[in-house]
Amino acid sequence: DEAPTSAPEPVEEVEMSVLDALKEVLEKAMIHGGLKKGLHECAKALDRRSARLCCLAKDCENEEYKKLIKGLCAEGEVHVVMVEAGKDLGAW
């Protein structure tokens, strides 16, 4: 005799904004030691091709910095996520 199988309980789906999802990904990366911060660390990770995602603040005033990071991302085929403010990245 087989025991009656019950239907799996429905999982509650929660809407999450893109920024909330990004924040969660960055927090998990930090916990697991995979988060690089600042120009030097990021450039090294991009150059080694170990980066999977790069976040860059739209309010960054240094055009050379933006050009370098975007160029390294393009070379390594790494997606760049533009965040409104650098303060947002620092707060996460």
Side-chain angles (χ1 to χ4, degrees):
D1 283 63
E2 288 184 27
T5 58
S6 61
E9 291 186 34
V11 176
E12 184 179 333
E13 291 186 25
V14 178
E15 287 258 340
M16 184 181 285
S17 75
V18 173
L19 286 179
D20 289 338
L22 178 60
K23 181 179 178 181
E24 190 172 307
V25 167
L26 293 177
E27 286 174 351
K28 286 182 181 181
M30 186 167 35
I31 290 168
H32 296 286
L35 186 64
K36 306 299 180 204
K37 300 184 230 176
L39 177 62
H40 184 72
E41 285 185 21
C42 292
K44 283 190 347 185
L46 289 166
D47 195 41
R48 284 193 311 261
R49 311 251 173 157
S50 63
R52 302 284 182 253
L53 176 71
C54 184
C55 297
L56 183 60
K58 289 180 182 178
D59 66 351
C60 175
E61 295 175 358
N62 189 333
E63 290 302 319
E64 290 179 9
Y65 177 94
K66 287 181 180 177
K67 187 176 179 180
L68 172 66
I69 295 299
K70 287 180 179 180
L72 287 170
C73 286
E75 188 178 293
E77 298 180 358
V78 174
H79 294 285
V80 180
V81 176
M82 299 300 290
V83 178
E84 287 301 319
K87 287 182 180 181
D88 292 342
L89 288 173
W92 298 343

